[in-house]
Amino acid sequence: MAAPVEIYEGAVDKGLEGVVACTTGISSIVDATLCFRGYTIEDLAAKSTFEEVTYLLWNDRLPTADELKAFRKELGANQTLAPELVKQLQTLPTKGVHPMAWLRTAVSMLALWDADSQKLDPASQKQIGTRLTAKMGSLVALFDRIRNGKPLIAANPEKSLAWNFLHMVFGKEPDAEIVRMFDVCLILHADHELNCSAFSARVTASSLSDIYSAITSAVGTLKGPLHGGANEQVMLMLKRIGNMEQTVTFIKDALANKEKVMGFGHRVYKNGDPRAKILRKMSEDITKKIGEPHWYQMSAMIDDTVQKEKGLLPNVDFYSATVYYSMGIPIDLYTPIFAVSRISGWMAHIYEQATNNRIYRPRGKWVGKEGLKHP
Ligand code: COA
């Protein structure tokens, strides 16, 4: 019986923990500091907009005022979905369907209405990226309107992506303060180094497949509760707990039963996620603004308990749940909102992969049977 070749004998880094898979200049995480293209997330959350951050991620520099104006105009104009595509999307089932499953299908279908979808040259890639980034919010809002039997609302090309998303979901002019908070949420979720879905997009792109395929892979990857799906689970948990009196006992019991508390822990951050700090403040402010401060207070109690019991800190998904809830956004749209933002990072990773491509093809350590003979 032949012995396995030497390469199979190497150590396995389960989940690729600590493995450096590529070079990147998009976002960096050093201890508890997250930067996009050299700017801290705190700086961008305080002074930038989602459109400007998207330009930054794609171009490695902030735009001039004219460049930003032109980029916003291009994004604004690209939010509209082709009527024929909308007609087809209206035939898809929505009852009992998770919005992320619908979104994954919709992104894949979008390719069929884009004559450039198979093009891989840099200029076409940027155009496709702009189209996809502009349309992601329109798709998520469309899903919500279709499932609720509501008339569709056209995007306003003069307004930001954040304004349009809230307008299309709620069907009325959104509050300016809420629009700004939502825009900051989009900034905070825009990219995060080699996260699971960005890696998935890069892996698909590395085979020289098209952008729509790479983004479809990424949407499917983001859907999981260990990645983007955690924000929705956080709100469901808070609703299940129901009140402050039950909060600490519920969490202690969950931990004693070895259950994971969604919205806590991180593969990379061991001293706290800087995005969670910004969202914690936002959660406190917005729950007060809507007269339901208990959602923040319960979250803060959970935060204290998980830190004391497990030494784990909240990640981006923990406080974003109560922020979106206070905005009135349906709970199952929280993960699709993550995609509305993270598309900007996915595109940056696809562009970066294309400039220095080599197909991803790791090895697996053989632990199966050997030398069997068919009788
Ligand atoms: N609640 C309770 N325990 C947790 C936990 C959580 N949220 N996150 C990690 N742990 C525990 C694990 O059970 C494990 O304990 P053990 O060594 O006693 O078995 C230890 O901490 C290490 O966790 P592990 O799952 O191996 O870490 P990872 O690096 O593979 O995974 C996450 C990182 C983010 C997937 C993980 O922390 C998690 O599942 N968090 C909840 C989901 C979530 O919020 N995801 C969003 C990420 S932005």
Side-chain angles (χ1 to χ4, degrees):
M1 200 182 303
V5 288
E6 200 184 339
I7 193 162
Y8 293 160
E9 295 298 323
V12 174
D13 298 293
K14 201 171 168 201
L16 300 184
E17 181 165 6
V19 170
V20 177
C22 63
T23 55
T24 183
I26 305 168
S27 59
S28 62
I29 302 170
V30 179
D31 194 20
T33 301
L34 168 64
C35 292
F36 292 169
R37 301 284 191 191
Y39 296 90
T40 66
I41 195 68
E42 291 81 3
D43 196 16
L44 294 171
K47 298 190 196 136
S48 192
T49 61
F50 178 62
E51 285 81 355
E52 189 186 48
V53 165
T54 300
Y55 188 101
L56 171 70
L57 291 171
W58 294 2
N59 296 283
D60 198 13
R61 64 171 177 82
L62 287 170
T64 63
D66 283 349
E67 284 168 337
L68 182 58
K69 203 167 153 204
F71 187 53
R72 284 188 64 137
K73 199 168 165 199
E74 222 187 324
L75 285 169
N78 273 291
Q79 289 174 93
T80 306
L81 301 166
E84 191 55 36
L85 168 68
V86 173
K87 225 197 269 171
Q88 295 299 327
L89 290 172
Q90 282 171 319
T91 68
L92 299 180
T94 54
K95 202 165 183 263
V97 168
H98 194 281
M100 282 299 277
W102 190 95
L103 184 65
R104 186 193 58 219
T105 306
V107 166
S108 185
M109 281 174 71
L110 209 53
L112 310 182
W113 273 265
D114 186 342
D116 299 328
S117 69
Q118 302 307 303
K119 293 184 179 166
L120 294 179
D121 62 284
S124 301
Q125 280 202 334
K126 282 267 165 74
Q127 274 172 5
I128 296 169
T130 306
R131 281 174 209 151
L132 262 166
T133 302
K135 287 178 171 50
M136 214 63 162
S138 307
L139 285 175
V140 176
L142 178 69
F143 168 83
D144 196 52
R145 296 199 79 79
I146 293 175
R147 73 171 165 181
N148 290 312
K150 290 185 183 160
L152 310 183
I153 293 181
N156 181 343
E158 303 299 320
K159 298 284 190 179
S160 69
L161 297 181
W163 186 96
N164 268 301
F165 178 76
L166 296 171
H167 184 239
M168 287 189 276
V169 168
F170 296 119
K172 58 176 193 212
E173 176 107 12
D175 173 285
E177 201 186 339
I178 299 290
V179 174
R180 176 59 193 156
M181 282 188 185
F182 189 70
D183 200 46
V184 172
C185 290
L186 295 183
I187 293 172
L188 296 177
H189 289 80
D191 192 49
H192 207 226
E193 207 224 43
L194 221 57
N195 61 90
C196 201
S197 54
F199 186 53
S200 160
R202 287 185 84 126
V203 169
T204 304
S206 82
S207 75
L208 298 186
S209 186
D210 64 286
I211 289 182
Y212 287 93
S213 297
I215 298 300
T216 303
S217 301
V219 173
T221 309
L222 185 72
K223 180 172 177 287
L226 297 187
H227 188 15
N231 53 12
E232 171 183 342
Q233 296 305 321
V234 170
M235 199 62 227
L236 294 175
M237 173 181 71
L238 286 165
K239 299 272 280 183
R240 215 176 310 127
I241 299 172
N243 59 54
M244 291 206 276
E245 292 68 43
Q246 300 297 321
T247 304
V248 173
T249 313
F250 181 98
I251 296 300
K252 282 188 175 172
D253 287 352
L255 292 174
N257 290 329
K258 300 260 171 239
E259 286 167 29
K260 277 194 168 172
V261 181
M262 290 294 134
F264 285 86
H266 202 273
R267 174 64 65 76
V268 182
Y269 295 118
K270 298 302 170 200
N271 294 315
D273 180 335
R275 303 166 300 173
K277 288 196 186 111
I278 298 170
L279 286 162
R280 180 175 175 145
K281 176 79 180 76
M282 208 188 281
S283 166
E284 186 176 9
D285 293 346
I286 194 169
T287 53
K288 223 182 268 168
K289 182 179 161 89
I290 65 149
E292 297 189 23
H294 62 282
W295 294 119
Y296 167 74
Q297 288 157 359
M298 283 168 71
S299 305
M301 285 167 97
I302 296 174
D303 192 343
D304 284 351
T305 310
V306 177
Q307 277 195 53
K308 264 190 217 130
E309 299 289 318
K310 275 300 263 193
L312 291 169
L313 293 157
N315 59 49
V316 70
D317 290 315
F318 188 63
Y319 288 104
S320 59
T322 41
V323 169
Y324 296 149
Y325 188 77
S326 304
M327 289 175 181
I329 294 170
I331 295 173
D332 62 0
L333 293 192
Y334 298 180
T335 311
I337 288 172
F338 202 147
V340 169
S341 162
R342 188 54 64 86
I343 177 78
S344 58
W346 291 334
M347 290 310 313
H349 281 276
I350 292 169
Y351 301 146
E352 188 175 67
Q353 183 65 35
T355 59
N356 186 20
N357 189 51
R358 192 171 185 209
I359 191 166
Y360 284 101
R361 203 320 185 174
R363 296 299 306 262
K365 181 172 176 170
W366 177 252
V367 293
K369 295 172 185 163
E370 288 180 53
L372 302 184
K373 290 268 183 287
H374 193 286

